[in-house]
Structure formats: C-alpha cells, structure tokens
Short mmCIF file of all heavy atoms in Angstrom, two decimals:
data_model
loop_
_atom_site.label_atom_id
_atom_site.label_comp_id
_atom_site.label_asym_id
_atom_site.label_seq_id
_atom_site.Cartn_x
_atom_site.Cartn_y
_atom_site.Cartn_z
N SER N 1 0.84 -1.19 0.00
CA SER N 1 0.00 0.00 0.00
C SER N 1 0.87 1.25 0.00
O SER N 1 2.07 1.19 0.29
CB SER N 1 -0.90 0.01 1.24
OG SER N 1 -0.11 0.22 2.40
N GLY N 2 0.27 2.37 -0.31
CA GLY N 2 1.00 3.63 -0.33
C GLY N 2 1.59 3.97 1.02
O GLY N 2 2.73 4.42 1.12
N ALA N 3 0.82 3.76 2.07
CA ALA N 3 1.30 4.06 3.43
C ALA N 3 2.50 3.18 3.78
O ALA N 3 3.49 3.66 4.35
CB ALA N 3 0.18 3.86 4.44
N GLU N 4 2.41 1.89 3.43
CA GLU N 4 3.51 0.97 3.72
C GLU N 4 4.76 1.35 2.91
O GLU N 4 5.87 1.35 3.44
CB GLU N 4 3.11 -0.47 3.39
CG GLU N 4 4.21 -1.49 3.55
CD GLU N 4 4.66 -1.71 4.98
OE1 GLU N 4 3.93 -1.32 5.91
OE2 GLU N 4 5.76 -2.27 5.16
N THR N 5 4.56 1.71 1.66
CA THR N 5 5.69 2.12 0.81
C THR N 5 6.34 3.38 1.36
O THR N 5 7.57 3.47 1.44
CB THR N 5 5.22 2.34 -0.64
OG1 THR N 5 4.65 1.12 -1.13
CG2 THR N 5 6.37 2.74 -1.54
N ARG N 6 5.54 4.36 1.74
CA ARG N 6 6.09 5.60 2.31
C ARG N 6 6.84 5.33 3.60
O ARG N 6 7.90 5.90 3.84
CB ARG N 6 4.97 6.61 2.54
CG ARG N 6 4.47 7.28 1.28
CD ARG N 6 3.53 8.41 1.57
NE ARG N 6 2.32 8.00 2.25
CZ ARG N 6 1.23 7.54 1.65
NH1 ARG N 6 1.20 7.43 0.33
NH2 ARG N 6 0.17 7.18 2.34
N ARG N 7 6.30 4.44 4.42
CA ARG N 7 6.96 4.10 5.68
C ARG N 7 8.32 3.46 5.42
O ARG N 7 9.32 3.82 6.04
CB ARG N 7 6.09 3.16 6.51
CG ARG N 7 6.68 2.84 7.89
CD ARG N 7 5.89 1.77 8.63
NE ARG N 7 5.90 0.48 7.96
CZ ARG N 7 6.93 -0.37 7.95
NH1 ARG N 7 8.05 -0.05 8.58
NH2 ARG N 7 6.86 -1.52 7.33
N ARG N 8 8.37 2.54 4.46
CA ARG N 8 9.62 1.86 4.14
C ARG N 8 10.65 2.83 3.55
O ARG N 8 11.84 2.77 3.87
CB ARG N 8 9.38 0.70 3.20
CG ARG N 8 8.64 -0.44 3.90
CD ARG N 8 8.43 -1.58 2.97
NE ARG N 8 9.75 -2.10 2.58
CZ ARG N 8 10.02 -3.39 2.48
NH1 ARG N 8 9.09 -4.27 2.72
NH2 ARG N 8 11.21 -3.79 2.11
N ILE N 9 10.18 3.73 2.70
CA ILE N 9 11.09 4.74 2.13
C ILE N 9 11.62 5.62 3.24
O ILE N 9 12.82 5.92 3.29
CB ILE N 9 10.36 5.56 1.05
CG1 ILE N 9 10.10 4.70 -0.19
CG2 ILE N 9 11.18 6.80 0.68
CD1 ILE N 9 9.20 5.36 -1.22
N GLN N 10 10.75 6.03 4.17
CA GLN N 10 11.18 6.88 5.28
C GLN N 10 12.21 6.16 6.15
O GLN N 10 13.20 6.75 6.58
CB GLN N 10 9.97 7.31 6.12
CG GLN N 10 10.31 8.24 7.25
CD GLN N 10 10.82 9.57 6.77
OE1 GLN N 10 10.38 10.08 5.76
NE2 GLN N 10 11.78 10.13 7.48
N GLU N 11 11.98 4.87 6.41
CA GLU N 11 12.94 4.10 7.20
C GLU N 11 14.30 4.03 6.50
O GLU N 11 15.34 4.17 7.15
CB GLU N 11 12.41 2.69 7.45
CG GLU N 11 11.29 2.62 8.46
CD GLU N 11 10.71 1.22 8.61
OE1 GLU N 11 11.14 0.30 7.86
OE2 GLU N 11 9.83 1.04 9.45
N CYS N 12 14.28 3.81 5.19
CA CYS N 12 15.54 3.76 4.43
C CYS N 12 16.27 5.09 4.51
O CYS N 12 17.49 5.13 4.70
CB CYS N 12 15.27 3.39 2.98
SG CYS N 12 14.84 1.66 2.74
N ILE N 13 15.53 6.18 4.36
CA ILE N 13 16.13 7.50 4.43
C ILE N 13 16.73 7.74 5.81
O ILE N 13 17.85 8.24 5.94
CB ILE N 13 15.10 8.59 4.07
CG1 ILE N 13 14.76 8.52 2.58
CG2 ILE N 13 15.61 9.98 4.43
CD1 ILE N 13 13.60 9.38 2.16
N GLU N 14 15.99 7.37 6.86
CA GLU N 14 16.49 7.54 8.22
C GLU N 14 17.75 6.72 8.46
O GLU N 14 18.70 7.18 9.09
CB GLU N 14 15.41 7.19 9.23
CG GLU N 14 14.28 8.21 9.27
CD GLU N 14 13.10 7.74 10.12
OE1 GLU N 14 13.14 6.63 10.69
OE2 GLU N 14 12.13 8.51 10.19
N ASP N 15 17.78 5.48 7.92
CA ASP N 15 18.97 4.63 8.07
C ASP N 15 20.17 5.25 7.37
O ASP N 15 21.28 5.27 7.90
CB ASP N 15 18.71 3.22 7.50
CG ASP N 15 17.75 2.42 8.36
OD1 ASP N 15 17.49 2.81 9.52
OD2 ASP N 15 17.24 1.40 7.85
N ILE N 16 19.95 5.75 6.16
CA ILE N 16 21.04 6.38 5.39
C ILE N 16 21.56 7.60 6.13
O ILE N 16 22.78 7.81 6.24
CB ILE N 16 20.57 6.73 3.97
CG1 ILE N 16 20.35 5.45 3.16
CG2 ILE N 16 21.56 7.65 3.27
CD1 ILE N 16 19.62 5.66 1.86
N LEU N 17 20.65 8.43 6.65
CA LEU N 17 21.07 9.62 7.39
C LEU N 17 21.83 9.26 8.65
O LEU N 17 22.84 9.90 8.98
CB LEU N 17 19.87 10.49 7.72
CG LEU N 17 19.20 11.19 6.53
CD1 LEU N 17 17.93 11.92 6.98
CD2 LEU N 17 20.16 12.15 5.86
N ALA N 18 21.38 8.23 9.36
CA ALA N 18 22.08 7.80 10.57
C ALA N 18 23.48 7.30 10.25
O ALA N 18 24.44 7.63 10.96
CB ALA N 18 21.28 6.71 11.29
N GLU N 19 23.62 6.54 9.17
CA GLU N 19 24.94 6.06 8.77
C GLU N 19 25.83 7.23 8.39
O GLU N 19 27.02 7.25 8.72
CB GLU N 19 24.81 5.10 7.59
CG GLU N 19 24.24 3.75 7.96
CD GLU N 19 24.06 2.85 6.74
OE1 GLU N 19 24.72 3.11 5.70
OE2 GLU N 19 23.29 1.90 6.83
N GLY N 20 25.27 8.20 7.70
CA GLY N 20 26.04 9.39 7.32
C GLY N 20 26.50 10.18 8.53
O GLY N 20 27.65 10.64 8.58
N ARG N 21 25.60 10.34 9.50
CA ARG N 21 25.98 11.05 10.73
C ARG N 21 27.09 10.33 11.46
O ARG N 21 28.04 10.94 11.96
CB ARG N 21 24.76 11.21 11.63
CG ARG N 21 23.79 12.25 11.16
CD ARG N 21 22.66 12.47 12.19
NE ARG N 21 21.57 13.16 11.55
CZ ARG N 21 20.42 12.60 11.19
NH1 ARG N 21 20.21 11.31 11.42
NH2 ARG N 21 19.48 13.31 10.60
N GLN N 22 26.97 8.99 11.54
CA GLN N 22 27.99 8.22 12.24
C GLN N 22 29.33 8.31 11.51
O GLN N 22 30.38 8.47 12.13
CB GLN N 22 27.57 6.76 12.39
CG GLN N 22 28.63 5.95 13.10
CD GLN N 22 28.09 4.71 13.75
OE1 GLN N 22 26.90 4.46 13.73
NE2 GLN N 22 28.98 3.94 14.33
N ALA N 23 29.30 8.22 10.19
CA ALA N 23 30.53 8.30 9.41
C ALA N 23 31.17 9.68 9.57
O ALA N 23 32.39 9.79 9.71
CB ALA N 23 30.25 8.01 7.94
N SER N 24 30.34 10.73 9.57
CA SER N 24 30.91 12.07 9.72
C SER N 24 31.49 12.27 11.12
O SER N 24 32.53 12.91 11.27
CB SER N 24 29.87 13.15 9.39
OG SER N 24 28.86 13.18 10.36
N GLU N 25 30.84 11.73 12.13
CA GLU N 25 31.37 11.85 13.50
C GLU N 25 32.68 11.08 13.63
O GLU N 25 33.63 11.58 14.24
CB GLU N 25 30.34 11.34 14.50
CG GLU N 25 30.80 11.40 15.95
CD GLU N 25 31.08 12.81 16.45
OE1 GLU N 25 30.64 13.80 15.82
OE2 GLU N 25 31.74 12.94 17.48
N THR N 26 32.75 9.89 13.05
CA THR N 26 33.98 9.11 13.08
C THR N 26 35.11 9.87 12.39
O THR N 26 36.23 9.97 12.92
CB THR N 26 33.78 7.75 12.38
OG1 THR N 26 32.75 7.03 13.06
CG2 THR N 26 35.06 6.92 12.37
N ARG N 27 34.82 10.44 11.23
CA ARG N 27 35.84 11.20 10.50
C ARG N 27 36.24 12.45 11.28
O ARG N 27 37.42 12.80 11.32
CB ARG N 27 35.31 11.58 9.12
CG ARG N 27 36.32 12.28 8.27
CD ARG N 27 37.51 11.40 7.98
NE ARG N 27 38.45 12.14 7.13
CZ ARG N 27 39.75 12.00 7.17
NH1 ARG N 27 40.30 11.12 7.98
NH2 ARG N 27 40.52 12.72 6.39
N ARG N 28 35.27 13.11 11.92
CA ARG N 28 35.58 14.30 12.70
C ARG N 28 36.55 13.95 13.83
O ARG N 28 37.54 14.67 14.07
CB ARG N 28 34.31 14.91 13.28
CG ARG N 28 34.54 16.25 14.00
CD ARG N 28 33.30 16.72 14.71
NE ARG N 28 32.99 15.91 15.88
CZ ARG N 28 33.62 16.02 17.06
NH1 ARG N 28 34.58 16.89 17.23
NH2 ARG N 28 33.27 15.24 18.07
N LEU N 29 36.29 12.84 14.52
CA LEU N 29 37.17 12.42 15.60
C LEU N 29 38.57 12.09 15.08
O LEU N 29 39.58 12.40 15.73
CB LEU N 29 36.58 11.23 16.34
CG LEU N 29 35.30 11.52 17.15
CD1 LEU N 29 34.72 10.24 17.70
CD2 LEU N 29 35.58 12.53 18.25
N GLU N 30 38.64 11.46 13.90
CA GLU N 30 39.95 11.17 13.31
C GLU N 30 40.70 12.47 13.01
O GLU N 30 41.90 12.57 13.29
CB GLU N 30 39.78 10.38 12.01
CG GLU N 30 39.31 8.95 12.20
CD GLU N 30 38.98 8.28 10.88
OE1 GLU N 30 39.12 8.90 9.81
OE2 GLU N 30 38.58 7.10 10.93
N LEU N 31 40.01 13.43 12.44
CA LEU N 31 40.65 14.70 12.10
C LEU N 31 41.09 15.47 13.34
O LEU N 31 42.17 16.08 13.36
CB LEU N 31 39.72 15.56 11.24
CG LEU N 31 39.47 15.03 9.83
CD1 LEU N 31 38.39 15.86 9.14
CD2 LEU N 31 40.75 15.04 9.02
N VAL N 32 40.29 15.44 14.39
CA VAL N 32 40.67 16.10 15.64
C VAL N 32 41.92 15.44 16.20
O VAL N 32 42.85 16.13 16.64
CB VAL N 32 39.50 16.07 16.66
CG1 VAL N 32 39.97 16.44 18.05
CG2 VAL N 32 38.37 16.98 16.21
N SER N 33 41.96 14.12 16.15
CA SER N 33 43.13 13.40 16.65
C SER N 33 44.37 13.77 15.84
O SER N 33 45.44 14.03 16.40
CB SER N 33 42.88 11.90 16.58
OG SER N 33 44.04 11.20 16.92
N GLN N 34 44.24 13.80 14.53
CA GLN N 34 45.37 14.18 13.67
C GLN N 34 45.81 15.61 13.95
O GLN N 34 47.00 15.92 13.99
CB GLN N 34 45.01 14.02 12.20
CG GLN N 34 44.87 12.58 11.77
CD GLN N 34 44.40 12.47 10.32
OE1 GLN N 34 44.18 13.46 9.64
NE2 GLN N 34 44.24 11.24 9.87
N PHE N 35 44.86 16.50 14.13
CA PHE N 35 45.17 17.89 14.41
C PHE N 35 45.93 18.03 15.73
O PHE N 35 46.93 18.74 15.81
CB PHE N 35 43.89 18.72 14.44
CG PHE N 35 44.10 20.17 14.72
CD1 PHE N 35 44.70 20.99 13.79
CD2 PHE N 35 43.70 20.73 15.94
CE1 PHE N 35 44.90 22.34 14.04
CE2 PHE N 35 43.90 22.06 16.20
CZ PHE N 35 44.50 22.87 15.26
N GLU N 36 45.46 17.32 16.75
CA GLU N 36 46.14 17.36 18.05
C GLU N 36 47.56 16.82 17.93
O GLU N 36 48.48 17.36 18.55
CB GLU N 36 45.35 16.57 19.09
CG GLU N 36 44.01 17.19 19.46
CD GLU N 36 44.14 18.58 20.06
OE1 GLU N 36 45.12 18.84 20.79
OE2 GLU N 36 43.26 19.42 19.77
N THR N 37 47.74 15.77 17.14
CA THR N 37 49.08 15.22 16.93
C THR N 37 49.98 16.23 16.25
O THR N 37 51.15 16.39 16.62
CB THR N 37 48.99 13.93 16.09
OG1 THR N 37 48.17 12.99 16.76
CG2 THR N 37 50.37 13.33 15.86
N LEU N 38 49.46 16.92 15.27
CA LEU N 38 50.26 17.92 14.54
C LEU N 38 50.58 19.14 15.40
O LEU N 38 51.60 19.80 15.17
CB LEU N 38 49.53 18.35 13.27
CG LEU N 38 49.42 17.30 12.18
CD1 LEU N 38 48.53 17.78 11.05
CD2 LEU N 38 50.81 16.95 11.65
N LYS N 39 49.75 19.43 16.39
CA LYS N 39 50.01 20.57 17.26
C LYS N 39 51.16 20.31 18.22
O LYS N 39 51.78 21.24 18.69
CB LYS N 39 48.75 20.93 18.08
CG LYS N 39 47.73 21.66 17.27
CD LYS N 39 46.51 22.13 18.03
CE LYS N 39 46.39 21.93 19.47
NZ LYS N 39 45.13 22.40 20.06
N GLN N 40 51.43 19.04 18.50
CA GLN N 40 52.50 18.68 19.44
C GLN N 40 53.84 19.06 18.82
O GLN N 40 54.10 18.82 17.64
CB GLN N 40 52.48 17.19 19.74
CG GLN N 40 51.20 16.70 20.36
CD GLN N 40 50.94 17.34 21.71
OE1 GLN N 40 51.86 17.53 22.50
NE2 GLN N 40 49.69 17.66 21.97
N PRO N 41 54.74 19.66 19.61
CA PRO N 41 56.06 20.01 19.08
C PRO N 41 56.83 18.74 18.72
O PRO N 41 56.78 17.74 19.43
CB PRO N 41 56.73 20.76 20.21
CG PRO N 41 55.93 20.51 21.42
CD PRO N 41 54.57 20.04 20.99
N SER N 42 57.52 18.80 17.63
CA SER N 42 58.29 17.66 17.16
C SER N 42 59.59 17.55 17.96
O SER N 42 60.26 18.54 18.22
CB SER N 42 58.59 17.83 15.68
OG SER N 42 59.50 16.86 15.27
N ARG N 43 59.96 16.34 18.32
CA ARG N 43 61.22 16.13 19.05
C ARG N 43 62.42 16.34 18.13
O ARG N 43 63.50 16.64 18.59
CB ARG N 43 61.27 14.72 19.65
CG ARG N 43 60.29 14.52 20.77
CD ARG N 43 60.55 13.18 21.44
NE ARG N 43 59.57 12.94 22.48
CZ ARG N 43 59.78 13.17 23.77
NH1 ARG N 43 60.95 13.65 24.16
NH2 ARG N 43 58.86 12.91 24.65
N GLN N 44 62.23 16.18 16.84
CA GLN N 44 63.35 16.35 15.91
C GLN N 44 63.76 17.82 15.81
O GLN N 44 64.90 18.12 15.55
CB GLN N 44 62.95 15.84 14.52
CG GLN N 44 62.76 14.34 14.49
CD GLN N 44 62.29 13.89 13.12
OE1 GLN N 44 61.93 14.69 12.29
NE2 GLN N 44 62.30 12.59 12.91
N SER N 45 62.82 18.73 15.99
CA SER N 45 63.17 20.15 15.84
C SER N 45 63.87 20.69 17.08
O SER N 45 64.36 21.81 17.05
CB SER N 45 61.91 20.97 15.55
OG SER N 45 61.03 20.89 16.64
#
C-alpha cells in the first residue's frame, strides 16, 4: 500500500542519514586526533 511504501522509504532515508551522521562523526574524531598530533612540538626540531 502507499502508506507501507512511504513508511519503508522513510525508514531507508532515516537509516542512510544515521549512517552518514555516524561516518561524519567518526571522521571528525579522526581529524581532531590528527590535528592534536600535529600541534605537538616535534622532538626532531
């Protein structure tokens, strides 16, 4: 039915958005970690 189809489409969209949010948060944490590492003074210098 139309209602069932709309519900399934909405669920798929919500799943895709949740995966995107999780991926962006994971990447953000990686970038913050890399940034913090780069801010540390190098022992070679």
Side-chain angles (χ1 to χ4, degrees):
S1 69
E4 175 67 17
T5 301
R6 284 189 298 275
R7 184 187 63 76
R8 290 181 63 139
I9 290 171
Q10 183 65 36
E11 286 175 356
C12 286
I13 290 170
E14 289 171 0
D15 290 345
I16 290 168
L17 291 174
E19 288 177 20
R21 285 186 197 105
Q22 179 157 357
S24 69
E25 179 63 17
T26 300
R27 183 63 179 148
R28 186 188 71 78
L29 292 173
E30 289 172 1
L31 291 172
V32 166
S33 174
Q34 289 176 0
F35 180 70
E36 292 299 325
T37 301
L38 291 173
K39 283 184 3 182
Q40 300 298 321
S42 171
R43 291 189 183 262
Q44 292 177 349
S45 63

